[in-house]
Amino acid sequence: MEKELITINAKGSPPVEIPAQGLNGFQALKALGINNMEKMAGIKINGEIKDLSTEINSSAELEPVYTDSQDGLQMLRHSAAHVMALAVKDIFPETKVTIGPAIKNDFYYDFDYKRAFEAKDLPTIEKRMAEIIEEDLPFIRTEIPRIEAIEFFRSKDEEYKVELIEDLSEGKVSIYRQGNFTDLCRGPHLPSTGKIKAFHLTNVAGAYWRGDERRAMLSRIYGIAFADQKALNAHLKNLEEAKKRDHRILGRKLDLFSIRDDVGPGLVIFHPNGALLRHIIEEFEIKEHLKRGYEMVAGPQLLKTELWKKSGHFGHYRENMYFTAIEDQSYGIKPMNCLAHMLIYSSKVRSYRELPKRYFELGTVHRHERSGVLHGLIRVRQFTQDDAHILCTPEQLKGEIQNILDFVRDIMAIFGFDYDLEISTRPKKSIGTDVDWQKATKALIEAVEEYNLPYQINQGEGAFYGPKIDVMLKDALERSWQCSTIQCDFALPDRFDLTYVGPDGEKHRPAMIHRVILGSIERFLGVLIEHYAGAFPLWLAPVQAIILTITDRNIPYGKDLLETLFSAGIRVEKDFRNEKLGFKVREAQVKKIPYMLVVGDKEMESGNVTIRLRDGSNLPPMFSKELIGRIRDESENRR
Ligand SMILES: [Zn+2]
Ligand SMILES: [Zn+2]
């Protein structure tokens, strides 16, 4: 009997006919003459990533996935997680395994062992992992009925796996085996453990099973894995740099803020320089908003619970809110600033001629974040947003979104951030009509496309009340941070019956945008500290200059200079202590103060100052007038 033939092809190479049975992905790619087989992680079959061992039995477009590509790295890291699980089970046989995904640069696996794993366990686990990689064990995929999988994992005492499978719908589940370790897994995986060329276990932390604090506390071991040692080393160097820039460490060194147990987790105390830095940013923001036609407003911290019921926050967001009672009346502390802004809008009849209305508030909000996710200034329980709500006609929506994108572009250029955009569309559970969603989503996409900015669409990831654009900042270490968001809302204008009188004399529903540019000021500060490694540009630096005397004789002259600079509005400090100049300079350098103004006998005589910069270089001596001009100029140009 003649064998049936199918056609396979790969981008850029002519189609090839192969027998419909008997060839797997690896062999099919070989038949197509594709090289570099040893660097292959998996295969894309009609765009879907699969194991190389997947049988090809219908015509398809094939594409190799290499270990150094984004998709390949995901497979590599996820496979490394399986290797780690095998290593842990080999060394600590009573360990129960849970889940082990690849995340952005890392992978992790959560384990339940009689004690928490510690950093000192990691080298032992790494050593066993290296042996498993050396053995080059194949990853073998099998599909078995769900009920069989439950029995299998129950027989192995893997209760977490049993729970996971019990949550799956009827039918078959896939399992992967390498050596004597079997895991429930959707895949895909590398063909064998030997493809993992470079890995390192980085960290161990506690994590609740399914993120639920009422359930078991597990040990989460993190690792990184790369296609080669060079890429791993580069990443480790980056991590090292990130550690040095950690805003929690720099925040203490620069005396910017503190977070204390006796105050409460996620609650920030800003020290003088931190509060000043924050004030500089807020002042800058107010100016930028007023320039762009926003109006400043301010709402109260507490609003009656009935109002939160009306807005839907009580129904959808209650878990994240704090409530209190005053004279038997229940109040909610605001987690968002929207409500007061809408009440301002609805405080009188609005004509289409007044639109758009742009209400801006540096609004302090409180949100209940679980203590496990709190992190320095990045995730806190009380923070201030540069929040605005724009109410406009549906026709104005696209233009308003473009205005906001302009705003984001201008601001991020000043701080030196690159960014990507992500558009999130309608989720399954949502309110509003199809027409509304289509219109708003179209407005978002068109606005972004006219910008020529790269963007990705997150299908179904929008809020239940409307689509949104997220701005993902890239900092100096190429790390990405979520920052600005632009969010359309169909729900609130309805719930609060917001209207405007159109040219036709009839009442119409305005479109509403919630938007933040920097987002949480606290979080943005945290990102800025790491981005600049604490060396803020002059316009942001809470202390722009410090006067250093050489001997006590120079103190009166130093005081005069201090007065002159103060009255010129320069943020200046003094160090008149009886210490060696070199010591004072080093201290000022640790504080990353841009200008060190040295005054000694020579300077006193000539009536000028000698200037040292924080990078160690010097400027020629200057008179105070010149210096003031220079500092003002740099500040105005936001350098
Ligand atoms: Zn897996
Ligand atoms: Zn809002």
Side-chain angles (χ1 to χ4, degrees):
M1 208 174 80
E2 216 178 307
K3 267 194 179 169
E4 201 191 329
L5 291 177
I6 57 168
T7 312
I8 52 168
N9 65 69
K11 260 183 219 138
S13 61
V16 173
E17 282 198 324
I18 59 164
Q21 256 112 46
L23 285 202
N24 66 27
F26 183 81
Q27 294 155 333
L29 287 174
K30 216 168 176 181
L32 283 165
I34 287 173
N35 300 318
N36 245 340
M37 302 299 274
E38 71 284 355
K39 283 195 85 182
M40 227 172 262
I43 182 170
K44 268 192 193 167
I45 304 175
N46 298 321
E48 229 183 293
I49 306 170
K50 299 276 188 188
D51 295 344
L52 275 172
S53 59
T54 308
E55 279 198 29
I56 311 290
N57 38 36
S58 57
S59 295
E61 188 173 274
L62 308 179
E63 197 188 320
V65 176
Y66 294 109
T67 47
D68 55 0
S69 69
Q70 219 31 51
D71 291 330
L73 279 170
Q74 280 294 106
M75 293 177 75
L76 184 99
R77 286 165 188 157
H78 178 59
S79 299
H82 280 232
V83 170
M84 171 160 68
L86 169 56
V88 167
K89 294 272 309 180
D90 280 352
I91 305 166
F92 311 100
E94 302 124 86
T95 308
K96 292 183 201 302
V97 294
T98 68
I99 54 161
I103 46 178
K104 213 155 179 237
N105 285 313
D106 322 36
F107 62 87
Y108 68 79
Y109 212 112
D110 285 351
F111 300 104
D112 186 1
Y113 187 54
K114 60 191 175 196
R115 65 167 172 87
F117 287 128
E118 296 165 37
K120 67 171 166 52
D121 297 318
L122 301 186
T124 325
I125 300 169
E126 276 183 338
K127 195 168 152 256
R128 181 69 195 117
M129 283 176 76
E131 289 163 6
I132 295 165
I133 290 168
E134 186 63 37
E135 286 168 44
D136 199 18
L137 304 170
F139 286 96
I140 299 160
R141 179 190 173 95
T142 330
E143 289 185 10
I144 58 172
R146 176 175 167 276
I147 195 77
E148 253 176 57
I150 292 175
E151 276 164 25
F152 172 80
F153 286 106
R154 191 166 280 148
S155 75
K156 299 256 176 201
D157 261 343
E158 295 287 9
E159 61 208 47
Y160 296 98
K161 292 288 169 193
V162 172
E163 185 181 326
L164 289 173
I165 304 168
E166 279 174 342
D167 284 355
L168 298 175
S169 48
E170 288 298 332
K172 289 199 162 184
V173 299
S174 58
I175 54 173
Y176 277 82
R177 183 166 63 80
Q178 95 271 12
N180 56 12
F181 176 68
T182 304
D183 206 343
L184 169 75
C185 181
R186 221 175 284 133
H189 274 285
L190 300 177
S192 64
T193 59
K195 296 260 175 185
I196 302 167
K197 295 296 179 200
F199 77 97
H200 175 58
L201 299 184
T202 49
N203 196 9
V204 54
Y208 291 107
W209 169 233
R210 298 194 142 175
D212 183 343
E213 58 247 67
R214 289 162 302 188
R215 312 229 24 205
M217 173 61 98
L218 309 167
S219 278
R220 173 172 299 178
I221 302 179
Y222 287 95
I224 48 174
F226 287 87
D228 55 51
Q229 194 61 38
K230 206 174 131 209
L232 177 78
N233 290 347
H235 183 77
L236 286 178
K237 216 176 137 211
N238 233 350
L239 281 185
E240 202 51 44
E241 183 59 32
K243 228 188 237 168
K244 271 191 251 158
R245 290 173 179 237
D246 188 324
H247 74 279
R248 294 166 300 179
I249 294 167
L250 283 173
R252 205 176 316 126
K253 252 194 192 161
L254 303 174
D255 196 17
L256 298 175
F257 67 91
S258 55
I259 298 170
R260 302 165 51 111
D261 269 352
D262 54 355
V263 172
L267 301 168
V268 184
I269 301 177
F270 284 93
H271 296 205
N273 283 342
L276 186 52
L277 176 59
R278 197 187 147 136
H279 170 76
I280 293 162
I281 289 175
E282 290 184 347
E283 201 181 26
F284 161 70
E285 279 238 274
I286 292 170
K287 261 195 211 146
E288 294 295 321
H289 277 85
L290 293 178
K291 220 161 84 180
R292 289 174 170 80
Y294 285 82
E295 296 172 282
M296 296 266 302
V297 297
Q301 215 58 44
L302 302 174
L303 292 87
K304 282 186 183 172
T305 302
E306 283 78 43
L307 211 56
W308 296 113
K309 284 185 181 156
K310 183 174 171 184
S311 68
H313 286 88
F314 192 84
H316 291 102
Y317 204 70
R318 189 173 50 224
E319 264 71 64
N320 299 299
M321 289 179 65
Y322 304 99
F323 293 91
T324 186
I326 305 170
E327 292 169 354
D328 291 335
Q329 169 65 53
S330 169
Y331 288 83
I333 301 176
K334 68 172 173 177
M336 299 182 197
N337 304 298
C338 332
L339 264 49
H341 297 198
M342 280 191 301
L343 297 177
I344 297 167
Y345 180 88
S346 64
S347 63
K348 56 181 176 189
V349 177
R350 302 288 176 182
S351 152
Y352 71 97
R353 287 194 188 85
E354 301 173 61
L355 301 186
K357 288 306 257 180
R358 307 185 184 112
Y359 297 128
F360 169 64
E361 175 174 8
L362 284 164
T364 299
V365 296
H366 289 76
R367 292 183 190 171
H368 178 223
E369 300 270 10
R370 283 180 298 109
S371 45
V373 302
L374 297 173
H375 177 81
L377 295 176
I378 304 292
R379 284 284 278 274
V380 291
R381 286 185 176 155
Q382 178 194 308
F383 56 96
T384 300
Q385 293 178 303
D386 61 340
D387 201 3
H389 293 88
I390 296 171
L391 291 139
C392 62
T393 69
E395 295 72 38
Q396 290 169 331
L397 188 60
K398 188 174 137 193
E400 285 306 303
I401 292 164
Q402 282 178 324
N403 285 342
I404 301 168
L405 288 173
D406 280 343
F407 201 166
V408 171
R409 180 199 56 207
D410 295 352
I411 299 293
M412 294 314 158
I414 287 171
F415 291 105
F417 285 118
D418 284 334
Y419 55 91
D420 288 329
L421 299 176
E422 295 182 2
I423 299 178
S424 299
T425 61
R426 184 171 197 169
K428 272 207 193 91
K429 256 181 79 183
S430 54
I431 53 162
T433 65
D434 282 348
V435 180
D436 277 347
W437 273 90
Q438 272 160 17
K439 253 201 245 160
T441 309
K442 195 165 156 263
L444 292 181
I445 291 176
E446 280 179 9
V448 168
E449 274 186 347
E450 283 173 32
Y451 252 82
N452 249 341
L453 282 171
Y455 70 93
Q456 78 176 52
I457 295 214
N458 298 332
Q459 217 60 257
E461 300 271 298
F464 70 93
Y465 50 83
K468 63 171 179 168
I469 301 176
D470 285 315
V471 176
M472 308 300 289
L473 293 190
K474 271 183 280 175
D475 73 5
L477 295 184
E478 294 285 313
R479 294 173 302 175
S480 110
W481 303 91
Q482 205 243 310
C483 179
S484 330
T485 56
I486 306 168
Q487 181 129 34
C488 295
D489 189 341
F490 309 122
L492 284 178
D494 252 355
R495 283 176 181 257
F496 282 75
D497 194 26
L498 304 185
T499 58
Y500 66 91
V501 179
D504 55 2
E506 301 285 321
K507 279 186 173 177
H508 299 269
R509 193 71 79 213
M512 177 165 168
I513 305 170
H514 311 247
R515 50 105 284 191
V516 292
I517 303 290
L518 304 183
S520 148
I521 303 288
E522 281 76 359
R523 179 187 167 82
F524 191 74
L525 275 176
V527 174
L528 271 191
I529 294 170
E530 301 201 3
H531 178 58
Y532 292 128
F536 300 106
L538 189 88
W539 76 279
L540 281 175
V543 182
Q544 296 175 311
I546 185 163
I547 301 172
L548 312 176
T549 47
I550 295 180
T551 74
D552 286 350
R553 280 197 301 284
N554 313 128
I555 292 178
Y557 181 66
K559 276 186 178 160
D560 280 351
L561 181 62
L562 187 73
E563 279 310 309
T564 313
L565 296 182
F566 255 143
S567 47
I570 287 166
R571 301 188 291 269
V572 60
E573 257 182 17
K574 61 176 196 310
D575 187 350
F576 293 169
R577 288 175 303 168
N578 185 15
E579 296 282 357
K580 287 241 161 53
L581 180 65
F583 177 80
K584 293 187 188 182
V585 166
R586 269 192 304 280
E587 259 191 16
Q589 261 167 341
V590 169
K591 291 195 210 156
K592 316 220 178 198
I593 300 173
Y595 283 94
M596 288 160 239
L597 312 175
V598 181
V599 294
D601 295 345
K602 204 172 60 175
E603 285 79 10
M604 254 167 83
E605 213 165 283
S606 344
N608 59 16
V609 290
T610 297
I611 300 168
R612 278 183 73 104
L613 302 179
R614 61 186 158 193
D615 64 4
S617 62
N618 292 299
L619 293 179
M622 259 180 225
F623 294 107
S624 56
K625 207 173 144 198
E626 239 178 302
L627 174 67
I628 291 167
R630 188 188 161 99
I631 292 180
R632 277 191 182 151
D633 189 57
E634 270 184 52
S635 283
E636 268 160 36
N637 290 306
R638 307 235 162 74
R639 275 179 289 158

